[in-house]
Amino acid sequence: MQRSRLGAIALSSAALLGAALASPAMAMTDSEIPSFQEFQSSSYKDTDQQYIVNGDEPVSTTGDLKAYYDRMVHGSEEAMEEGLVVNTVGGVQDKWSTAQVGNLTYCVSTKFGSRYTDVVNAMAAGASLWEEAAPRINYVHVPSQDASCTTRNKSVLFSVEPVQTTQYIARAFFPSTPKRSRNVLVDDSIWTSGSWTPANIMGHELGHTLGFRHEHTRPEAGTCFEDNNWVPLTPYDSSSIMHYPQCNGTSSNLSMTATDRQGAAIAYP
């Protein structure tokens, strides 16, 4: 969900989840592909010094960003054929254990001020989309930790915190993300995002926290390719909650589909 355009190698790391989405990815010639140094210098760094790629996915270190860049430029040319897709790390599915997925604890920062209750409700609604699809999934809000809701809080698995940025509406993390970087950041633009309800936006971001990738990285989308570090769970779904509408998606409101629910049940049976 990005404001400015994506290149063939997801060039615009600085162009992130925003109120207006990016135009489809554009082909690039070899001469147009930037060096890693150029790519790094143009990449957006979040408030906690993480690089953001693919719109709303954090990359913790410069080494990780270089690995991402190399995959984009030199990665496998073999297209995978099916998805709702789950992230992989070293060829292994990036998912929570059976025990952990039933206790996904989080806090909601009181620094949201007058919007605190709204964020609590949006998180609960977004979480319920996945919980209803796969009952093993269970997000648990721990209000007692809200006053000290940061990534340093070891009493919860992750934190939900406010951010002020023009770069995105919200961004999340994958299960493999280290605790020091495990948060969901939410900008005030979530309340003025048109047909995207806060519940569906949070549902999209919580999809990432379960390990699900953007659906449009699959070849069927024909644009906005990210990388091949995923495995398929279901047939391609252009209306998926994980599919950017501007990347040849067919849903305008990020609602959850039957295929999304099927994929969640496959990932977390």
Side-chain angles (χ1 to χ4, degrees):
M1 287 172 274
Q2 302 167 315
R3 279 198 169 114
S4 60
R5 67 177 182 171
L6 292 167
I9 61 165
L11 169 62
S12 185
S13 289
L16 307 173
L17 177 62
L21 297 186
S23 58
M26 303 176 64
M28 300 178 72
T29 65
D30 289 345
S31 63
E32 293 174 319
I33 295 175
S35 67
F36 172 68
Q37 288 72 26
E38 292 170 331
F39 176 68
Q40 180 185 19
S41 66
S42 68
S43 296
Y44 177 72
K45 276 189 122 174
D46 217 335
T47 54
D48 52 4
Q49 297 303 297
Q50 293 189 92
Y51 296 101
I52 305 297
V53 300
N54 299 334
D56 54 359
E57 300 169 8
V59 173
S60 297
T61 67
T62 299
D64 291 337
L65 186 70
K66 179 61 165 62
Y68 170 84
Y69 171 87
D70 289 340
R71 291 196 301 272
M72 294 300 96
V73 178
H74 308 296
S76 169
E77 295 180 356
E78 295 182 3
M80 304 196 64
E81 303 241 338
E82 297 180 353
L84 183 64
V85 291
V86 64
N87 191 48
T88 60
V89 177
V92 178
Q93 291 188 26
D94 188 4
K95 302 189 301 182
W96 299 108
S97 67
T98 298
Q100 187 64 77
V101 78
N103 190 35
L104 301 173
T105 57
Y106 66 92
C107 57
V108 177
S109 175
T110 54
K111 291 182 180 179
F112 281 106
S114 63
R115 284 293 190 179
Y116 166 79
T117 300
D118 295 329
V119 176
V120 169
N121 292 338
M123 275 292 297
S128 70
L129 296 174
W130 298 106
E131 292 169 338
E132 291 171 3
R136 190 177 295 277
I137 297 170
N138 186 34
Y139 286 94
V140 181
H141 179 204
V142 186
S144 62
Q145 301 302 316
D146 289 350
S148 55
C149 187
T150 70
T151 56
R152 295 185 296 276
N153 189 325
K154 296 182 179 180
S155 296
V156 291
L157 195 66
F158 67 95
S159 56
V160 182
E161 304 175 56
V163 68
Q164 292 184 343
T165 181
T166 61
Q167 299 298 314
Y168 56 78
I169 295 174
R171 75 106 173 108
F173 59 91
F174 288 121
S176 59
T177 302
K179 179 64 172 72
R180 66 179 180 276
S181 303
R182 203 181 294 150
N183 57 9
V184 175
L185 298 182
V186 183
D187 181 69
D188 277 345
S189 54
I190 194 173
W191 313 115
T192 57
S193 53
S195 63
W196 300 355
T197 67
N200 287 354
I201 291 171
M202 297 312 291
H204 174 98
E205 297 307 327
L206 291 178
H208 288 314
T209 72
L210 292 169
F212 300 130
R213 291 289 303 274
H214 290 136
E215 184 79 346
H216 50 260
T217 194
R218 294 179 60 254
E220 288 90 335
T223 187
C224 299
F225 172 75
E226 295 172 355
D227 61 45
N228 281 326
N229 293 322
W230 48 268
V231 294
L233 297 173
T234 69
Y236 172 63
D237 180 9
S238 62
S239 296
S240 170
I241 193 173
M242 302 309 295
H243 200 307
Y244 287 179
Q246 91 281 9
C247 295
N248 289 340
T250 54
S251 172
S252 61
N253 62 7
L254 293 181
S255 58
M256 179 168 276
T257 68
T259 304
D260 291 327
R261 290 188 285 272
Q262 179 186 1
I266 292 171
Y268 296 103

